[in-house]
Amino acid sequence: MLSLDKISELLGKESELLLQHTSQTIDKSLLHLPSPETVNEIYGPSSRNPQVLRSLGQLFGSGRLANTGYMSILPVDQGVEHSAGASFAKNPIYFDPENIVKLAIEGGCNAVASTFGVLASVSRKYAHKIPFLVKINHNELLTYPNHFDEVLFGTVEEAWNLGAMAVGATIYFGSENSDRQLVEIAHAFERAHELGMATVLWCYLRNDAFNKDVDYHLAADLTGQANHLGVTIQADIIKQKLPEVNGGFKAMNTGTSSYGKLDERIYTQLTSDNPIDLCRYQVANCYMGRMGLINSGGASKGAEDMADAVRSAVVNKRAGGAGLISGRKAFQRPMADGVALLNAIQDVYLSKDITIA
């Protein structure tokens, strides 16, 4: 298990900024923080039926982070989202779905998230050994020219039949197709809950207009609002990229354009420049943490991956988030190294020395 000294070493020059930070924005006392009683105390009083609570209990009760209130999930849907060749060329063993599931199990993950095809191909062998999370929609990259639109690849019933504990989906908020996606996924999540499955929503932004002087797809204010829309359709867990900037609403409101609604206190009182405070604004938009926020691990950067993964986990945990969902950093390397990286992420959440800011 990683020591605090090792974690500090991996954080490098950001160590003090992230490990010593005390938030002066949204006070931690206002948050519903992850705990061993998360399912009973947070999800229990909601309208979710006993079967959904059982599925959430299995998700939170599996892997190295079992019964801590935190999650570590391995997502491998990139065979569709980024093309199989581009995703698996670095490590071709993951063309075989069984190796994806093996990595999640050996890596101590709470669940493995992948496509209908991947999980169905090995479901009888593994569905009872680790919770399956089926990603039900994708953006495919064979349409010419490429476009960005998440479409359903199967039904919620198919996911239930192959033994899934949960379904996941993406909505590209801000895109021209977001209204259709919102309606589709709201209905899909309703059906998933009827069948007793948990739901995870990838609340991503997608609009060329968000690329200005900086990439506002990663703005705390815009991603926070995407999260708020996600929990509104009763997603149990929100997946979001870590924020890197702020002021997306301001950037869109220039000249004669009018976009969204904002209040200056978003920037002066509810956030600061510290990465933890930017992430806390995302947590606040998940009903103050009632619905868990898991942040994305991001693309593989080679030698930087271990440090980057640990950094993401520290930011998420100290902000009040519920875990990390990291794929490419883990599967685009030898399996033993992928297991070590997943374990390092989990070590951050298991560390009693790393607390809420």
Side-chain angles (χ1 to χ4, degrees):
M1 180 159 170
L2 291 182
S3 67
L4 184 62
D5 287 343
K6 181 60 178 177
I7 291 171
S8 180
E9 178 186 329
L10 287 168
L11 293 176
K13 63 182 181 180
E14 287 191 299
S15 177
E16 183 175 353
L17 175 74
L18 299 180
L19 293 179
Q20 303 302 321
H21 178 64
T22 300
S23 180
Q24 302 296 324
T25 57
I26 298 170
D27 192 87
K28 63 185 179 182
S29 66
L30 300 176
L31 301 175
H32 299 274
L33 299 175
S35 79
E37 295 302 316
T38 288
V39 175
N40 291 330
E41 295 181 355
I42 303 301
Y43 295 101
S46 73
S47 64
R48 290 158 178 81
N49 64 45
Q51 288 84 3
V52 174
L53 298 179
R54 181 177 58 194
S55 293
L56 285 166
Q58 288 186 270
L59 287 171
F60 281 104
S62 300
R64 290 185 72 223
L65 297 182
N67 304 315
T68 63
Y70 293 107
M71 281 190 175
S72 165
I73 297 176
L74 175 72
V76 189
D77 60 342
Q78 288 86 352
V80 177
E81 296 282 346
H82 301 282
S83 91
S87 299
F88 302 138
K90 290 182 180 179
N91 202 357
I93 68 168
Y94 291 108
F95 277 106
D96 184 341
E98 185 168 14
N99 287 321
I100 293 172
V101 181
K102 283 182 176 179
L103 175 60
I105 292 173
E106 294 182 27
C109 293
N110 295 70
V112 57
S114 196
T115 65
F116 282 104
V118 165
L119 296 176
S121 69
V122 293
S123 65
R124 289 184 183 272
K125 186 172 182 179
Y126 290 106
H128 59 293
K129 296 180 180 179
I130 184 172
F132 279 10
L133 192 170
V134 177
K135 184 74 163 35
I136 62 174
N137 69 350
H138 304 283
N139 177 55
E140 55 82 20
L141 290 176
L142 277 181
T143 301
Y144 185 86
N146 286 162
H147 67 162
F148 295 99
D149 184 17
E150 294 279 334
V151 295
L152 292 169
F153 269 52
T155 66
V156 171
E157 284 78 9
E158 285 180 77
W160 185 82
N161 283 330
L162 65 83
M165 286 290 122
V167 297
T170 298
I171 294 176
Y172 281 151
F173 291 106
S175 74
E176 62 181 7
N177 300 302
S178 61
D179 286 351
R180 190 208 80 241
Q181 294 166 16
L182 186 63
V183 172
E184 281 182 353
I185 302 309
H187 285 306
F189 280 8
E190 178 185 25
R191 181 57 177 150
H193 280 161
E194 288 175 352
L195 292 173
M197 291 185 288
T199 57
V200 182
L201 187 63
W202 279 238
C203 290
Y204 285 174
L205 303 176
R206 186 75 70 184
N207 193 311
D208 288 342
F210 294 154
N211 284 307
K212 297 173 80 69
D213 53 322
V214 297
D215 187 356
Y216 289 105
H217 288 93
L218 303 177
D221 54 349
L222 297 182
T223 55
Q225 181 60 21
N227 291 358
H228 198 79
L229 296 176
V231 293
T232 299
I233 64 170
Q234 299 194 71
D236 300 319
I237 298 162
I238 298 295
K239 180 192 177 187
Q240 184 58 268
K241 297 176 182 179
L242 276 175
E244 295 182 6
V245 296
N246 208 353
F249 279 114
K250 287 184 173 183
M252 296 299 108
N253 282 276
T254 56
T256 59
S257 69
S258 177
Y259 177 74
K261 299 287 185 181
L262 64 89
D263 186 310
E264 281 295 327
R265 284 166 289 197
I266 296 172
Y267 314 106
T268 60
Q269 296 181 24
L270 301 184
T271 60
S272 78
D273 292 335
N274 190 286
I276 293 168
D277 290 337
L278 294 177
C279 184
R280 179 158 297 180
Y281 187 72
Q282 292 182 338
V283 173
N285 276 280
C286 295
Y287 295 163
M288 283 296 191
R290 282 184 182 272
M291 302 300 113
L293 170 69
I294 55 177
N295 286 117
S296 171
S300 175
K301 302 174 184 177
E304 305 172 28
D305 283 353
M306 180 70 78
D308 193 45
V310 166
R311 179 192 186 274
S312 298
V314 169
V315 170
N316 173 272
K317 183 180 182 181
R318 300 212 69 218
L324 216 62
I325 178 165
S326 186
R328 282 170 287 175
K329 283 181 168 59
F331 72 76
Q332 290 184 337
R333 62 187 63 247
M335 186 173 289
D337 293 344
V339 168
L341 186 140
L342 292 169
N343 288 169
I345 290 169
Q346 295 150 13
D347 288 347
V348 171
Y349 293 99
L350 293 172
S351 174
K352 298 186 183 302
D353 296 315
I354 299 175
T355 57
I356 304 301

